[in-house]
Amino acid sequence: MRDKTSSSEAAWQEELCAAALPDKRLVRRLQRLLDQLSAAPGKPIPAACGDWAAAKAAYRFFDNPRVTEHSVLAGHFAATAARVAASEGPILILQDTTEFIYSRAQPCKIGFTKTINAGRYKAGQPKVLILCGVLMHSSLAVTLTGTPLGLTAVKFWTRTKFKGTLALKRHINPTRVPIETKESYRWLENLRQSIALVGAAERCVHVGDRESDIYELYCTAQDLGTSFRVQSCATAFSWTCIAAART
């Protein structure tokens, strides 16, 4: 057992040495969880932990109010910054959103992500399903050769209200709403957090899909002295071209 614990600590020491957890016991538990989950990717927690006692310890860890996503990821962010500093050349920071969908009888206890059109009932009425889960918007630093260096920013959230785009436009003009109150503000937050972590704004080239076509985002990138690139289908163009076209 001691050899297994030592190998676990060695494997994750670089990622956890700067973890912001308030108790060393929580750090050791996180090391054990990372070792178990990484050895069984894709498996549920009870199967990855091996027995009910270990699974219960994992659930207690996740339910601990002193354990937050930022305290868990603090060590990884510090390790990412160290790897970026040790690398040479430009760094690509890829931004995208991931949905974690769960099947629950009471979605309100987890959180909503979106509604989908699931066809029609026999009577002809549209069938709309509400998906529950968590959304994660992350920024991943990679080298030009594709070597991942780690995450530079992460934001988790759920949606509490659902209104379609067309229905929303009947009530307000989206262009008149401050960017700080929009869900798309996460693109600006991750940009700032990534620059604050990495430190070398001129080395970073931030990459996003067409959802990142936000004027305020280009202005923020220009103010921070960094570059941004938008991927739209098979066409890629730099944020400087878009900003120039809109001014």
Side-chain angles (χ1 to χ4, degrees), residues 187-200:
W187 291 89
L188 282 72
E189 290 181 307
N190 273 35
L191 178 68
R192 293 193 181 100
Q193 292 177 20
S194 299
I195 294 300
L197 178 69
V198 174

Side-chain angles (χ1 to χ4, degrees), residues 94-106:
L94 316 179
Q95 283 200 46
D96 204 0
T97 303
T98 302
E99 295 181 358
F100 299 93
I101 305 300
Y102 304 99
S103 177
R104 294 292 187 275
Q106 297 178 321

Side-chain angles (χ1 to χ4, degrees), residues 98-121:
T98 302
E99 295 181 358
F100 299 93
I101 305 300
Y102 304 99
S103 177
R104 294 292 187 275
Q106 297 178 321
C108 58
K109 292 186 177 181
I110 298 177
F112 297 101
T113 58
K114 64 181 179 181
T115 59
I116 60 173
N117 187 350
R120 292 181 176 275
Y121 292 105

Side-chain angles (χ1 to χ4, degrees), residues 173-185 216:
N173 184 353
T175 61
R176 302 296 181 183
V177 178
I179 186 64
E180 292 80 7
T181 63
K182 295 182 179 180
E183 188 177 284
S184 56
Y185 187 62
E216 291 85 353

Side-chain angles (χ1 to χ4, degrees), residues 26 55 72 98 118 127 160 171-172 207 219 223 228 234:
L26 293 176
V72 170
T98 302
K127 182 179 179 181
T160 56
H171 299 86
I172 60 174
V207 182
C219 294
D223 293 340
F228 201 95

